[in-house]
Amino acid sequence: MESAATRLETVQANIARMCKPARREVGDVTLIAVSKTHPAHAIEPLLEAGHRVFGENRVQEAQDKWPELRTRFPDAELHLIGQLQSNKAEEAVELFDVIHSLDRASLLKSLAKAMDKAGRRVPCFVQVNIGDEDQKGGCRIADLPAFIAKVRDADIPIAGLMCIPPADTEAAPFFAFLAKLADDNGVDGLSMGMSGDYETAVQLGATHVRVGTALFGARG
């Protein structure tokens, strides 16, 4: 069994290797360790190895795990990478440092209200339905410019765009398309790439990669 520290070193080395031909700095890519479904004791070895940026899918799960972990590792940064229900906006704003799934007007309204109440602005990635899939969340591509304008009007910091390409297809064209959409809309960040395709994502400009299995191993 590889240790968590060894797996972390491997992923970091792969990111560095892909940055070179793309003429990118390693420091421009944030590795989000996706700790969803993994208990606190499985997260601790990565924290002890020095990693500080983690991703969770569900508000409730993060509430159960992270308050205690953060008492010991107060500089840990927590990203919400899963779909967010509007009625959980207030809890999400309290707990997370970045939200990756802002994708509709009702959620925008709830988040803006929650941020006003909390007195803090949480940067958000606008999730794009890059493959135009009915079953997936994400703003429709045609609606993206208008939605980004609404986010800016609500004084919510836009961290960038996020996507999940269709399963079982070549991810590269979707990553390239997201990068173009970001450029067209004056947005810098790109949250794209997971364990199976993060190296491709780095080549194509990802600023944030969301890696779970390659760091934690397969979920039981």
Side-chain angles (χ1 to χ4, degrees), residues 111-132:
L111 282 171
K113 185 178 176 183
M115 289 182 201
D116 288 343
K117 182 177 178 181
R120 68 187 295 242
R121 312 315 280 182
V122 178
C124 293
F125 284 87
V126 172
Q127 183 175 349
V128 181
N129 189 340
I130 200 75
D132 195 23

Side-chain angles (χ1 to χ4, degrees), residues 102-105 107-109 111-112 115 121-127 139 143-161 187:
L102 176 52
D103 63 352
R104 59 196 186 280
L107 181 57
L108 170 60
K109 184 178 178 181
L111 282 171
M115 289 182 201
R121 312 315 280 182
V122 178
C124 293
F125 284 87
V126 172
Q127 183 175 349
C139 178
D143 299 335
L144 187 60
F147 186 65
I148 287 174
K150 285 180 182 176
V151 177
R152 288 180 171 138
D153 287 346
D155 193 30
I156 291 179
I158 298 178
L161 302 182
V187 173

Side-chain angles (χ1 to χ4, degrees), residues 53-169:
V53 187
F54 292 82
E56 292 283 345
N57 254 36
R58 299 177 184 277
V59 173
Q60 181 64 54
E61 186 184 342
Q63 286 173 324
D64 292 342
K65 291 192 296 198
W66 279 95
E68 192 276 330
L69 286 170
R70 275 178 152 171
T71 60
R72 294 167 51 215
F73 301 94
D75 56 342
E77 187 178 296
L78 201 52
H79 292 233
L80 178 64
I81 60 170
Q83 289 300 117
L84 177 60
Q85 296 172 310
S86 296
N87 64 357
K88 295 282 188 182
E90 203 167 302
E91 294 161 274
V93 166
E94 286 176 8
L95 185 61
F96 291 95
D97 300 295
V98 184
I99 293 169
H100 287 244
S101 49
L102 176 52
D103 63 352
R104 59 196 186 280
S106 59
L107 181 57
L108 170 60
K109 184 178 178 181
S110 297
L111 282 171
K113 185 178 176 183
M115 289 182 201
D116 288 343
K117 182 177 178 181
R120 68 187 295 242
R121 312 315 280 182
V122 178
C124 293
F125 284 87
V126 172
Q127 183 175 349
V128 181
N129 189 340
I130 200 75
D132 195 23
E133 298 174 273
D134 291 339
Q135 77 278 16
K136 269 194 188 155
C139 178
R140 288 170 54 88
I141 293 161
D143 299 335
L144 187 60
F147 186 65
I148 287 174
K150 285 180 182 176
V151 177
R152 288 180 171 138
D153 287 346
D155 193 30
I156 291 179
I158 298 178
L161 302 182
M162 182 272 243
C163 78
I164 303 170
D168 303 319
T169 60

